Amino acid sequence: MFTTERIKVVEATKEDIDVIIAIESHKENRDYLWIGTHEEHEAEINDPNHVLWLFKEKETERIVGYALARLDMISGIFELRRIAITVKHKGYGREVMEGMIRYVFEVLKMNRFWLDVYPDNEIGIKLYESLGMKKEGVLRQHYKSERGFLDQIIYSLLKSDYLKK
């Protein structure tokens, strides 16, 4: 799909689903992600309006994360539904997000890149804001999890914002 300095991003296959579920279920990720089932991930892989990507180190092929996105090609909207990095504090999250944003606007020619994030995901929020994403609002108690009802903050970046950088 695309590469960055240290990472290559590839489409996930059905054989990768167990790895993806393990990433979602990991104790450092599970509070910030919705954990999909095998059947749901298989449906996402088969749906042309979704992309399920793995992030691999170029040198070692080690999987260092994944992302799930929904594409609305008619309206030019890229919704980053989930992203998780397994190797923390190495800058992979920033590197992948910068590469993904570039890919979304320059290759896919989308107009809008958006995501939601839980308010207690301070590391994610700091990253998104540092990338120029704008806080649009809060969906109050929008998601029920094992932790209770959670707010979701909406962040977006428009193509016009990206081109100004």
Side-chain angles (χ1 to χ4, degrees):
M1 297 306 305
F2 64 91
T3 62
T4 66
E5 182 181 338
R6 300 175 293 168
I7 303 294
K8 66 179 180 178
V9 178
V10 300
E11 286 192 61
T13 66
K14 292 175 187 174
E15 290 75 28
D16 300 316
I17 293 173
D18 289 338
V19 171
I20 291 165
I21 291 172
I23 292 169
E24 293 172 334
S25 302
H26 190 275
K27 64 181 176 165
E28 292 183 1
N29 298 326
R30 67 178 170 236
D31 283 346
Y32 305 113
L33 297 172
W34 182 80
I35 301 170
T37 66
H38 195 279
E39 293 76 20
E40 288 165 331
H41 286 311
E42 189 169 333
E44 293 155 357
I45 288 169
N46 293 326
D47 181 353
N49 298 313
H50 281 86
V51 291
L52 189 56
W53 289 326
L54 290 178
F55 311 143
K56 295 184 176 184
E57 288 179 329
K58 285 181 181 177
E59 289 185 20
T60 66
E61 291 285 312
R62 174 174 68 153
I63 295 171
V64 296
Y66 91 105
L68 169 67
R70 182 181 311 153
L71 297 92
D72 178 344
M73 300 306 283
I74 293 171
S75 295
I77 298 171
F78 183 95
E79 175 192 358
L80 181 58
R81 297 185 63 208
R82 289 183 218 128
I83 184 169
I85 303 297
T86 59
V87 179
K88 310 290 187 188
H89 312 294
K90 300 284 186 191
Y92 287 145
R94 171 172 297 283
E95 187 173 327
V96 167
M97 283 293 295
E98 288 172 346
M100 190 181 312
I101 289 168
R102 188 170 41 254
Y103 180 78
V104 165
F105 292 123
E106 295 180 12
V107 177
L108 295 180
K109 306 294 186 194
M110 295 294 201
N111 183 60
R112 175 181 166 84
F113 181 109
W114 78 276
L115 56 83
D116 64 71
V117 59
Y118 299 130
D120 61 341
N121 186 348
E122 295 171 3
I123 292 172
I125 290 169
K126 184 177 177 183
L127 172 62
Y128 306 143
E129 290 178 351
S130 75
L131 293 170
M133 297 187 81
K134 305 294 185 221
K135 179 179 178 180
E136 292 188 348
V138 178
L139 300 172
R140 297 181 317 135
Q141 296 186 2
H142 190 71
Y143 180 72
K144 184 179 181 182
S145 78
E146 293 174 358
R147 300 189 296 150
F149 287 99
L150 303 176
D151 293 349
Q152 292 175 292
I153 304 171
I154 305 299
Y155 278 90
S156 73
L157 185 68
L158 301 178
K159 187 175 191 174
S160 57
D161 301 326
Y162 173 75
L163 294 174
K164 287 178 188 174
K165 289 185 173 189

